[in-house]
Amino acid sequence: MAILIDGKKTSSEIKSEIAARVAEIKAEGGKTPHLAAILVGSDGASQTYVNAKVKACGECGFESTLVRLEDTVSETELLKVVEDINENPEIDGLIVQLPLPKHISVEKVTNKIKPEKDVDGFTPANVGRMALNWPAYVAATPYGIVELLKRYDIETSGKHCVVIGRSHIVGSPMSILMARNGYPGNATVTLTHSRTANLPEIAKTADILIVALGKPHFVTADMVKPGAVVIDVGIHRIEDSSKKSGFRLVGDVKFDEVSEKASAITPVPGGVGPMTIASLLYNTLLAAEKKVYS
């Protein structure tokens, strides 16, 4: 049975470390880190995510501001809200919860956020700095995965890492991070996606398999090399009549059978998910202490 890479436990440890640092900052008379979040519309999942981020801010001693806007808000109005937060010296980090309504350009909104406050790590400036291995705010999910690999002492140097999924939020930055000179890193990386030919055969060559394709139970045991480390980024709600709720959460990996073959694996839920918020808080702390853009 594989070692369980416990993101819930690790994220709690990171939040405790952040809270301790915030307590030091306050004791020294410094500025309390302050995160602002913009939520457009009333999507249930988005509200849950934002509320969890606000709650986590409180746990770490941060200040937080939640700006709620109707889904009928114009693009111009939203950009003005972003601009106002950009110019507010009291706010260190800004996130705009996705998805946005179809009439609003995600690219325009992202580009409007000051790189110094882009704690989601989505602006071209931060993506470019990350690729160059310069100080940057790294996108929260990839950073969370890197931190899990580090804290579980998983060797990455010289290993073959296969990333399944090429999104700008997870797959693409993950491939860059794993190839960078450092630890975790120095891996030989293959970035694959839904149109990759012979994907199962390529996946089976991976020492480290990172799956962020967005398809429930896509990776099965026959696609995994014995002893591989498997990181499952997916999360899906599927029907399950045996559960009181009528559903259960699963990942992109068929956990029951893959966990018998892997050396280490992240569960769903409780694996990568909790690390995303912890990473966001860490980026906000970096922003407050001017550790990236000094």
Side-chain angles (χ1 to χ4, degrees):
M1 186 68 179
I3 293 168
L4 206 63
I5 300 175
D6 191 339
K8 189 174 180 181
K9 175 175 172 286
T10 306
S11 69
S12 294
E13 292 169 357
I14 292 170
K15 286 191 283 187
S16 294
E17 292 164 9
I18 293 171
R21 177 57 191 145
V22 172
E24 287 177 2
I25 292 170
K26 290 180 179 179
E28 295 163 359
K31 181 186 173 301
T32 302
H34 189 159
L35 175 67
I38 299 174
L39 176 62
V40 181
S42 56
D43 177 76
S46 292
Q47 289 193 66
T48 299
Y49 294 146
V50 168
N51 289 339
K53 291 167 186 175
V54 169
K55 182 183 176 186
C57 282
E59 292 171 355
C60 290
F62 286 16
E63 291 181 10
S64 62
T65 297
L66 176 55
V67 180
R68 294 180 180 270
L69 301 171
E70 297 295 327
D71 56 12
T72 53
V73 69
S74 71
E75 185 177 86
T76 302
E77 289 169 325
L78 175 55
L79 292 172
K80 179 63 170 63
V81 173
V82 171
E83 188 177 340
D84 289 344
I85 294 174
N86 277 341
E87 300 309 316
N88 186 339
E90 294 301 311
I91 295 173
D92 302 298
L94 167 62
I95 59 169
V96 179
Q97 184 63 46
L98 301 178
L100 291 172
K102 290 182 179 178
H103 66 278
I104 296 175
S105 165
V106 174
E107 288 77 15
K108 279 187 183 178
V109 174
T110 299
N111 285 331
K112 193 69 172 178
I113 299 170
K114 269 188 176 180
E116 297 91 331
K117 296 195 177 187
D118 168 37
V119 290
D120 257 338
F122 292 162
T123 59
N126 278 310
V127 173
R129 289 171 71 105
M130 175 202 65
L132 291 169
N133 209 358
W134 292 3
Y137 302 124
V138 176
T141 300
Y143 185 82
I145 293 169
V146 164
E147 196 64 20
L148 283 174
L149 294 172
K150 186 192 299 182
R151 293 190 180 226
Y152 275 81
D153 295 320
I154 292 168
E155 183 58 67
T156 59
S157 181
K159 302 297 183 182
H160 184 205
C161 174
V162 174
V163 180
I164 303 180
R166 57 181 169 182
S167 75
H168 297 314
I169 294 173
V170 183
S172 292
M174 199 70 242
S175 66
I176 294 168
L177 289 170
M178 292 301 290
R180 291 195 315 185
N181 185 15
Y183 176 73
N186 283 323
T188 300
V189 181
T190 302
L191 178 61
T192 68
H193 45 81
S194 59
R195 296 192 183 184
T196 298
N198 304 318
L199 180 51
E201 289 84 355
I202 295 171
K204 200 167 185 177
T205 66
D207 301 303
I208 301 169
L209 183 62
I210 300 171
V211 192
L213 193 64
K215 292 184 178 180
H217 288 163
F218 177 80
V219 171
T220 51
D222 61 336
M223 294 172 65
V224 177
K225 178 182 182 179
V229 174
V230 179
I231 306 294
D232 188 352
V233 185
I235 185 160
H236 314 275
R237 200 162 89 159
I238 63 171
E239 291 183 5
D240 187 342
S241 58
S242 69
K243 301 289 183 182
K244 188 176 180 181
S245 62
F247 69 88
R248 64 189 170 98
L249 297 175
V250 300
D252 287 357
V253 174
K254 205 160 188 181
F255 181 87
D256 289 348
E257 59 181 59
V258 172
S259 61
E260 296 292 332
K261 201 170 183 182
S263 62
I265 189 170
T266 57
V268 176
V272 173
M275 293 297 294
T276 299
I277 292 180
S279 302
L280 178 67
L281 296 171
Y282 178 71
N283 278 347
T284 304
L285 178 62
L286 290 178
E289 295 199 89
K290 305 290 189 289
K291 291 285 183 70
V292 175
Y293 293 88
S294 54

